[in-house]
Amino acid sequence: MYEMFTSLDPVMQAFIGTLFTWGMTALGAGLVFFTKGTNQKFMDSTLAFAGGVMIAASYWSLLAPAIEMAGERSGPSWLPATVGFLLGGAFLMLVDRLAPLLYNSQYMNDIKDNKAKRRTTLLIFSITLHNIPEGLAIGVAFGALASGATEAALASAVALALGIGIQNFPEGLAVSMPLHRDGMSKGKSFFFGQFSGMVEPISAVIGALAVIMIKPILPYALAFAAGAMIFVVAKEIIPGSQEKGNAELASISLMIGFAVMMTLDVALG
């Protein structure tokens, strides 16, 4: 099975990798059929765990390869990583200002005012929006293989897909459970929960094709994806995992998530 996967085109590898992350989103969303409520400590710890996974993946699967690739070319090796990383964060900041994200004040006000329809729309949109840079990151990582595939580079891309898949599990639940709580049927809640992960295969293919067609942008693209992911962690995941008073548990869970992803990436690489 692994040999068959390695023989595929990088774009197809990226597509398959994000089918897995989409499936993990659906698996998390499917818990709506088996539980009546959510444990806040469980939700906070899994959200923080996801943050740790994303931080580790941003360095070992994205920034480190970007710096290594830039070092093989003329010019400062740190420049593409620095520029791409900051542009990734700036892009998400711009998106944040143009569209309400999951934890902004308007979303919280809508919860207090019980504006269920608007809250539902914001919830689905925000999680879906967050999945775009994750899909791009996987696509860029696999697309980089076209520039000279190595076992370590492939293992790094696979580890990134595994890590993002792990953190997608609580995301699916984070969509389906509130929708069902607002009165939506379990079937529809599951549909919208898994739908939030559908953008990942699409954005992965776009990311892979972009770096294959325009190879000079590859180090910048890898760092861009890392910057976007770190912005999401810093603004959304860490505050969201600690706002209910479980800061210590969330901090430990984040460190465990970081350690797990670091181990996966280093061991597979």
Side-chain angles (χ1 to χ4, degrees):
M1 182 70 71
Y2 183 75
E3 292 181 357
M4 183 182 299
F5 180 76
T6 58
S7 65
L8 295 174
D9 178 86
V11 176
M12 183 57 66
Q13 290 176 339
F15 181 71
I16 293 175
T18 44
L19 285 182
F20 164 74
T21 62
W22 181 12
M24 289 297 288
T25 305
L27 189 63
L31 290 181
V32 73
F33 293 109
F34 305 103
T35 180
K36 295 182 179 181
T38 57
N39 182 284
Q40 190 62 49
K41 288 187 176 181
F42 171 77
M43 292 295 291
D44 289 345
S45 62
T46 52
L47 186 62
F49 180 91
V53 167
M54 293 174 71
I55 293 172
S58 294
Y59 176 72
W60 273 278
S61 297
L62 297 170
L63 279 177
I67 294 171
E68 183 179 351
M69 290 176 188
E72 298 171 356
R73 306 176 183 182
S74 59
S77 60
W78 53 266
L79 185 61
T82 302
V83 172
F85 183 80
L86 293 176
L87 285 176
F91 173 75
L92 262 291
M93 183 182 298
L94 177 63
V95 171
D96 191 6
R97 293 186 177 185
L98 294 177
L101 297 183
L102 183 57
Y103 296 107
N104 75 356
S105 58
Q106 184 60 56
Y107 177 79
M108 299 309 295
N109 288 337
D110 287 341
I111 290 179
K112 294 175 183 177
D113 296 340
N114 198 30
K115 298 177 181 177
K117 185 175 181 180
R118 177 176 172 81
R119 181 168 71 251
T120 297
T121 302
L122 289 176
L123 179 62
I124 296 170
F125 180 77
S126 62
I127 294 291
T128 302
L129 185 66
H130 289 173
N131 285 337
I132 293 176
E134 294 170 7
L136 285 173
I138 295 173
V140 168
F142 278 104
L145 301 178
S147 300
T150 64
E151 283 296 320
L154 177 60
S156 180
V158 170
L160 178 62
L162 285 173
I164 290 179
I166 291 171
Q167 70 96 22
N168 276 5
F169 180 81
E171 280 190 359
L173 181 62
V175 175
S176 62
M177 285 302 298
L179 295 182
H180 181 56
R181 183 189 60 213
D182 285 342
M184 189 176 288
S185 69
K186 289 186 176 182
K188 285 186 177 181
S189 299
F190 166 75
F191 173 79
F192 285 113
Q194 63 81 33
F195 180 81
S196 65
M198 190 181 295
V199 295
E200 290 194 0
I202 299 171
S203 55
V205 169
I206 293 173
L209 287 173
V211 297
I212 290 173
M213 296 172 63
I214 316 173
K215 291 183 180 179
I217 72 168
L218 181 53
Y220 293 92
L222 287 167
F224 181 94
M229 289 177 66
I230 290 297
F231 183 88
V232 171
V233 172
K235 187 178 186 302
E236 306 291 328
I237 292 181
I238 292 177
S241 66
Q242 298 186 8
E243 64 183 5
K244 299 296 184 181
N246 296 315
E248 187 173 280
L249 174 63
S251 298
I252 294 172
S253 299
L254 184 142
M255 294 183 69
I256 293 174
F258 183 95
V260 168
M261 184 61 195
M262 177 179 63
T263 302
L264 280 173
D265 208 321
V266 175
L268 290 176

